[in-house]
Amino acid sequence: MDLVLRDARVIDGTGGPSYRADVGVTDGRVAEIRREGEGPRPSGARVLDAAGLALAPGFVDMHAHSDLALLRDPEHTAKAAQGVTLEVIGQDGLSYAPVDDRTLAHVRQAVNGWNGGGEGDTSVDFDWRTVGEYLDRLDRAFEGRGFDGRGIAVNAAYLIPQGTVRMLAVGWDDRPATGAELARMKRLVADSMEQGAVGMSSGLTYTPGMYADDAELTELCRVVARYGGYYCPHHRSYGAGALEAYEEMVTLTGRAGCALHLAHATMNFAVNEGRAPDLLALLDGALAAGADISLDTYPYTPGCTTLVAMLPSWASEGGPDAIMERLRDPASAGRIRHHLEIVGADGCHGVPIEWDTIEISGVMNQALAGYVGRTVAESAAAAGEEPWTTARRLLVEDGLGTTILQHVGHEENVRRIMRHRVHTGGSDGILQGAKPHPRAYGTFPHYLGRYARELGILTLEECVAHLTSRPAARLRLPDRGLVREGYRADLVLFDPDTVAAGSTFEAPRTPPVGIPHVLIDGRFVIEDGRRTQVLAGRSVRGSA
């Protein structure tokens, strides 16, 4: 063997009982599993004593925002150090392929707060336009840069961003697509699936994706289904009307015959406290009727997005430049404020905004850094002004790049949903900003340490299955997600007694503890708790 992991406690990803074994790795795959007492032990060029450590498949982050981070940061320890060996990117309906020159400029500005990459950012060479070209770019991200490999830190699968597709075919108008525009969107989706995408995402509280009606989305989902992909919507509301929004997605994908994966499946805001059982009853009924449904969550209560995402959709029609014009115009700004504070904007999930729940987590304009770590209400009170005045100034002076934490979740809902049989883990981690959400650096060890070991919400074996084999099954990956002979040696060694998220809301970039080793294709990307020079990640393409 190239490598033998000796005396590990194997938690194989099936959810079944763990067992003691030696695991041999050769040519990037698990070559032999010899259980304790079964016979001669395998030998290898290298033997690692894994006594006291659990050996699990690599974790799959089903909802990641590393679209540019993977190209910008070869170490990418935010995810690698957690034991993540595969991320699913292209989320929430907005990403960087497929595009043309005009659309790329718009999307770079629209999601500057999520990923950076806005106007003037030269850290990434945007030398692709199609999904296939973007995936090729991931595969040669750091070619010739002196690393052990030319690809990326961890593997990545890509979802076609429906909002970007609509931006490309329709623009930023709030109207139904014409027949010709819908036909173009369907061609773009088909081409992208053929080039390696695993499905399609939507951000139905983000513009311009939210302008699509159910008929349009159904037609696009039919294309995705034809290629065996899945639909991953950030649906139309996580607040007022949340259950109806979930039901809309279940009905829509059922009509299209498309698999459904519900992104960051939470029930937030005061109107949904204690309502997780209602969501789970809806899903159980659909599953019993034969629907193909899964979901992901992060193990925290606050959400994370951009401040501009809170605005009503009408304020975003026409794109970022039009938003800025409306914010600068007193009459339009007053109308925006009324929708936010009184009506309940669709961007804020139909709930009137509570400025004391909106914490600034990052700014692009460093002259505004003093706002980070404080709520809009706190900053407004310190300045002796109305919260809307503070928020409006931030939006304009930061070029719509401000990121926020939104403290609107409920712990009991989080716990109930994570127990469900179709649940998987996703960080939804925005890596930008001075004070990002700790889930970006801590989701997976937090599941293992807090919710499995400390609270017993899941057994350790169940928890590992949620983070490994279930997402691999959703992604239709036949050789990942289990510790099994012949499978890829994407593996994590962690200490079940100490594993924990180091990241906190006060120190969100603190690395986890208790995860000394992470392997991708049998190569150490984390060894003895430190990032190596190995770049073993690459694009993981759909089988269309």
Side-chain angles (χ1 to χ4, degrees):
M1 304 291 165
D2 296 334
L3 170 69
V4 174
L5 306 172
R6 183 82 77 203
D7 287 325
R9 175 187 171 186
V10 178
I11 304 177
D12 64 6
T14 63
S18 60
Y19 57 87
R20 188 77 52 195
D22 296 344
V23 176
V25 174
T26 292
D27 295 331
R29 293 185 179 268
V30 176
E32 184 175 355
I33 300 174
R34 185 63 58 87
R35 297 197 184 210
E36 187 176 42
E38 283 190 343
R41 291 182 141 183
S43 60
R46 178 179 176 184
V47 176
L48 177 69
D49 182 2
L53 298 177
L55 175 65
F59 305 135
V60 180
D61 188 341
M62 285 296 286
H63 192 101
H65 288 285
S66 302
D67 307 46
L68 298 185
L70 285 164
L71 296 172
R72 185 185 292 122
D73 178 12
E75 294 196 352
H76 198 45
T77 53
K79 296 301 178 65
Q82 293 185 61
V84 171
T85 58
L86 171 61
E87 297 184 274
V88 185
I89 56 178
Q91 299 285 352
D92 293 329
L94 289 166
S95 190
Y96 306 94
V99 292
D100 57 17
D101 292 350
R102 173 188 59 85
T103 303
L104 177 59
H106 287 172
V107 78
R108 286 179 64 179
Q109 185 176 358
V111 292
N112 191 26
W114 291 359
N115 301 316
E119 184 179 0
D121 186 337
T122 59
S123 63
V124 173
D125 180 7
F126 291 86
D127 59 352
W128 65 85
R129 294 297 178 267
T130 69
V131 167
E133 289 168 351
Y134 173 70
L135 297 178
D136 289 344
R137 181 76 163 80
L138 293 175
D139 288 340
R140 56 176 176 78
F142 298 98
E143 190 171 35
R145 300 276 292 276
F147 296 97
D148 186 2
R150 67 182 195 135
I152 47 181
V154 304
N155 297 308
Y158 190 73
L159 295 170
I160 306 159
Q162 171 259 329
T164 302
V165 168
R166 196 173 213 272
M167 199 186 307
L168 187 56
V170 181
W172 288 86
D173 296 341
D174 183 2
R175 62 170 175 80
T178 66
E181 289 166 343
L182 179 58
R184 186 182 180 198
M185 285 190 280
K186 291 168 69 174
R187 286 196 302 273
L188 286 166
V189 171
D191 289 346
S192 298
M193 291 297 296
E194 290 173 0
Q195 291 165 16
V198 296
M200 181 179 74
S201 75
S202 281
L204 299 179
T205 65
Y206 301 131
T207 54
M210 63 158 39
Y211 299 144
D213 60 22
D214 283 4
E216 179 180 316
L217 295 171
T218 300
E219 286 300 305
L220 298 182
C221 283
R222 287 191 172 119
V223 178
V224 172
R226 192 163 71 237
Y227 291 94
Y230 68 93
Y231 182 43
C232 180
H234 165 130
H235 51 272
R236 298 192 193 273
S237 177
Y238 291 82
L243 197 64
E244 293 78 7
Y246 280 113
E247 187 172 12
E248 176 192 9
M249 296 297 101
V250 171
T251 301
L252 184 157
T253 50
R255 187 181 303 122
C258 186
L260 172 64
H261 180 84
L262 295 165
H264 38 59
T266 58
M267 294 286 282
N268 288 339
F269 302 90
V271 295
N272 289 314
E273 186 171 3
R275 296 195 67 199
D278 298 338
L279 168 61
L280 300 181
L282 168 67
L283 300 183
D284 285 337
L287 289 163
D292 183 359
I293 299 174
S294 56
L295 59 88
D296 65 68
T297 71
Y298 47 82
Y300 299 86
T301 53
C304 180
T305 186
T306 56
L307 184 58
V308 69
M310 299 291 101
L311 302 187
S313 57
W314 60 261
S316 297
E317 186 176 6
D321 292 340
I323 298 172
M324 293 290 281
E325 289 178 13
R326 294 184 180 105
L327 288 168
R328 290 188 175 108
D329 176 64
S332 295
R335 186 180 170 210
I336 292 171
R337 177 181 183 177
H338 178 75
H339 276 255
L340 278 171
E341 296 183 346
I342 306 301
V343 177
D346 47 7
C348 193
H349 307 276
V351 178
I353 199 163
E354 296 176 330
W355 294 111
D356 60 352
T357 69
I358 306 297
E359 178 186 352
I360 304 304
S361 61
V363 293
M364 304 306 294
N365 178 357
Q366 292 310 301
L368 304 170
Y371 291 96
V372 173
R374 296 194 291 176
T375 68
V376 172
E378 288 170 340
S379 290
E385 61 189 17
E386 294 293 319
W388 167 245
T389 303
T390 301
R392 180 185 177 194
R393 180 170 57 252
L394 275 166
L395 286 163
V396 171
E397 294 183 10
D398 206 24
L400 310 179
T402 307
T403 52
I404 63 170
L405 304 183
Q406 193 171 16
H407 296 271
V408 292
H410 305 286
E411 179 67 18
E412 183 54 33
N413 285 348
V414 170
R415 295 185 187 189
R416 280 183 175 268
I417 293 169
M418 75 169 61
R419 293 188 186 107
H420 198 270
R421 58 194 172 94
V422 299
H423 169 265
T424 68
S427 71
D428 193 16
I430 293 176
L431 302 171
Q432 293 291 115
K435 194 173 179 286
H437 198 302
R439 68 193 187 195
Y441 288 75
T443 286
F444 295 87
H446 201 48
Y447 265 121
L448 297 168
R450 175 65 173 161
Y451 286 91
R453 183 183 66 242
E454 295 178 8
L455 297 177
I457 303 300
L458 299 165
T459 69
L460 193 58
E461 288 82 0
E462 289 171 335
C463 189
V464 168
H466 286 224
L467 307 180
T468 58
S469 63
R470 288 188 186 180
R474 166 53 69 218
L475 294 166
R476 297 192 303 140
L477 302 176
D479 58 355
R480 300 178 194 265
L482 296 171
V483 181
R484 180 171 289 177
E485 290 179 1
Y487 275 52
R488 291 187 179 275
D490 293 354
L491 302 168
V492 182
L493 282 158
F494 66 91
D495 184 341
D497 296 328
T498 64
V499 63
S503 60
T504 64
F505 287 99
E506 293 72 30
R509 287 195 170 88
T510 307
V513 297
I515 305 180
H517 304 292
V518 181
L519 298 90
I520 295 178
D521 273 0
R523 303 172 68 196
F524 286 91
V525 296
I526 299 290
E527 187 171 9
D528 295 323
R530 294 186 296 273
R531 182 70 171 92
T532 70
Q533 289 290 299
V534 169
L535 292 175
R538 59 183 180 276
S539 64
V540 174
R541 308 190 188 210
S543 57

